Amino acid sequence: MNSVRMDNISWVEYERRVEAGAVVFLPCGATEQHGPHLPLGTDALLASAISEDVARAVGGIVAPAISYGYKSQPRSGGGQHFCGTTSVDGATLSGLIRDAVREFHRHGVRRLVIVVGHYENQWFVTEGIELAMRDIGEHGAMEVMRVEHWEFCRQDTLDAVFPDGFPGIALEHAAVIETSMMLHYHPQLVSLERIPTHGPAQFPTYDMYPARTAWVPSSGVLSSAKDSTREKGRRLVTDVVDGIAAAVRHEFGLDGAAVGS
Ligand SMILES: [Zn+2]
């Protein structure tokens, strides 16, 4: 019962750790196409793996991921027209987050970190947190941190990983960052021989509804993943895990102490 995963420990062990003040991590991903070389669960798999590494560093617990995300947009995730991209309405995602935050609080959790792994989730996760905080009230002593994990990639790492220039996080869908991180955490789920070789997608600076699916490369990859390596993944993941752990220790006053393990 040493696991940091909530779904791998008993309620008795969970209660013990929560009463000791453990920080709980809630990964929030999507079920979305990630090109022909990565699995549909990439966003939740990465958010969960990163959460587990941070939880081990700070004595935390990782809750089961929310594995359905807000609708994939053509310019950041390829769009909804890919088979397997299975999304929920914004109100549904906000409701899931609201209910989960309230339930964690009901059982005594006072420090929660939501680790967003899917670009389009951001504002609906934010709304869910806002609604839950209103439900709980300011006397509930609940604090929630929201992170988008890719924000913790350091500039010197991005310069090294992208010697020709970083294309920006939106075009990074199923590209070098996610593929390299998957090579680090789940190499058996990556099909390197299936990485498309086409150049970056060219989008106008606006969106159209219904989506102009012709704007999107048919592979679903928005910029090439061919320069992905396990070593780049290790470096990116180290930035992200160390950065989130430092933020958690700072905001929740854990400096030097591992709580709840
Ligand atoms: Zn992704």
Side-chain angles (χ1 to χ4, degrees):
M1 293 253 180
N2 282 330
S3 178
V4 294
R5 285 178 51 158
M6 180 181 176
D7 60 359
N8 285 1
I9 61 176
S10 71
W11 77 268
V12 180
E13 176 65 12
Y14 179 71
E15 182 180 63
R16 185 187 73 76
R17 294 194 208 175
V18 168
E19 284 179 354
V23 177
V24 171
F25 293 80
L26 176 61
C28 186
T31 300
E32 182 190 34
Q33 72 80 18
H34 275 72
H37 62 293
L38 292 178
L40 289 158
T42 292
D43 289 348
L45 286 167
L46 287 178
S48 296
I50 289 164
S51 294
E52 287 180 37
D53 275 352
V54 179
R56 272 187 281 275
V58 303
I61 303 168
V62 181
I66 291 178
S67 296
Y68 295 92
Y70 182 66
K71 299 171 189 109
S72 181
Q73 298 297 298
R75 291 197 289 146
S76 49
Q80 286 292 111
H81 58 291
F82 289 92
C83 190
T85 295
T86 307
S87 308
V88 296
D89 289 348
T92 306
L93 179 58
S94 295
L96 271 171
I97 295 287
R98 177 188 197 169
D99 290 354
V101 172
R102 217 175 36 213
E103 285 292 273
F104 290 127
H105 180 266
R106 192 168 65 83
H107 293 141
V109 175
R110 293 295 177 265
R111 296 179 290 198
L112 178 68
V113 182
I114 300 185
V115 179
V116 176
H118 173 62
Y119 189 83
E120 289 85 340
N121 281 351
Q122 179 170 332
W123 292 108
F124 301 103
V125 169
T126 301
E127 174 68 351
I129 296 168
E130 291 279 6
L131 295 174
M133 296 303 274
R134 195 165 70 194
D135 296 339
I136 291 165
E138 57 191 62
H139 300 300
M142 181 70 160
E143 290 190 299
V144 180
M145 176 184 292
R146 193 201 80 232
V147 302
E148 278 79 49
H149 64 69
W150 52 84
E151 300 272 4
F152 291 84
C153 298
R154 291 155 43 112
Q155 190 58 50
D156 57 329
T157 300
L158 292 175
D159 291 344
V161 169
F162 299 98
D164 299 329
F166 179 46
I169 196 66
L171 281 188
E172 261 300 298
H173 181 74
V176 173
I177 291 179
E178 288 186 312
T179 303
S180 296
M181 286 182 169
M182 284 295 284
L183 285 169
H184 173 79
Y185 280 126
H186 297 290
Q188 74 283 7
L189 299 182
V190 183
S191 302
L192 281 176
E193 71 284 0
R194 294 195 178 164
I195 290 179
T197 53
H198 60 75
Q202 305 280 349
F203 292 113
T205 51
Y206 52 84
D207 297 299
M208 290 297 296
Y209 305 88
R212 300 284 194 262
T213 56
W215 292 353
V216 182
S218 60
S219 69
V221 178
L222 301 188
S223 62
S224 182
K226 67 177 168 37
D227 294 327
S228 306
T229 66
R230 197 168 186 170
E231 171 56 24
K232 288 178 180 175
R234 188 194 62 76
R235 190 163 171 182
L236 290 159
V237 161
T238 300
D239 281 5
V240 170
V241 170
D242 290 354
I244 297 175
V248 167
R249 288 195 185 99
H250 178 71
E251 294 300 333
F252 294 145
L254 303 181
D255 289 306
V259 177
S261 53

